[in-house]
Amino acid sequence: MKLYDSRLAPNPRRVRIFLAEKGIEVPTEQVDMMAKQHLTPEYTTINPLQRMPALELDDGTIISESIAICRYFEALRPQPALFGTGAEEIAIVEMWNRRCELNLLFTVAHVFRHTHPAMKELEVPQVPAWAEANRPRVIDFLRILDAELARHAFVAGDHYSVADITALCAIDFMKPTRIAVPDELVNVKRWHAEVAARPSAKA
């Protein structure tokens, strides 16, 4: 088994944090996205979408998409349950993880990919207007998240879950994108400080 990883990207980090929470160690191979190694013919045979991360199983099966990889490891090692337990909790974790992907991680990524100079050769064409259209959407969703975190310790309720991992990676990705969490969002700031202090956050 081998995980194709990229240290600077948020999606591979989601998998690393998930594995750290599970106490699972997997051999990794670094793919330098800034050097366009994910665009090479060799990596394209692993993942035709040329995205990171990808998990290669011992029989040669490839699993890509960070949440699919996390679900694989959840099935192998159910505890701690990071996708929830019981029908209701599983659905709520799924709902909030999806919300954090679509409305936070992806919108931050749009701003980064369409404004950062380092992305000029990877995002062709860069469309600065698209970045600016997404910038306020990040804050809009953070306000929704703040209201939810006023009611619960974690994003999807009273237990740490994959939704917290997605939200953490998204908010940390805001730093190179130059988007700040507004000071009045005290619940987001409280939550972020707590989850960022977990040992897994350093993975």
Side-chain angles (χ1 to χ4, degrees), residues 54-124:
L55 178 68
E56 183 176 3
L57 305 184
D58 291 341
D59 67 357
T61 298
I62 301 294
I63 303 171
S64 63
E65 307 301 334
S66 54
I67 293 302
I69 294 170
C70 291
R71 285 194 178 279
Y72 173 78
F73 286 112
E74 179 90 345
L76 288 182
R77 187 173 297 181
Q79 297 299 324
L82 298 180
F83 281 90
T85 57
E88 181 178 327
E89 187 176 87
I90 289 171
I92 290 172
V93 170
E94 181 75 19
M95 175 181 73
W96 276 104
N97 185 63
R98 190 68 171 152
R99 286 176 170 180
C100 289
E101 280 187 321
L102 294 176
N103 300 288
L104 188 57
L105 181 57
F106 289 175
T107 49
V108 173
H110 288 320
V111 178
F112 179 80
R113 294 183 69 89
H114 288 277
T115 58
H116 201 284
M119 296 300 298
K120 188 173 183 179
E121 294 185 11
L122 293 175
E123 191 68 42
V124 181

Side-chain angles (χ1 to χ4, degrees), residues 107 110-111 114-115 127-138 140:
T107 49
H110 288 320
V111 178
H114 288 277
T115 58
V127 184
W130 179 237
E132 293 311 310
N134 278 279
R135 195 179 294 273
R137 294 172 183 164
V138 174
D140 289 345

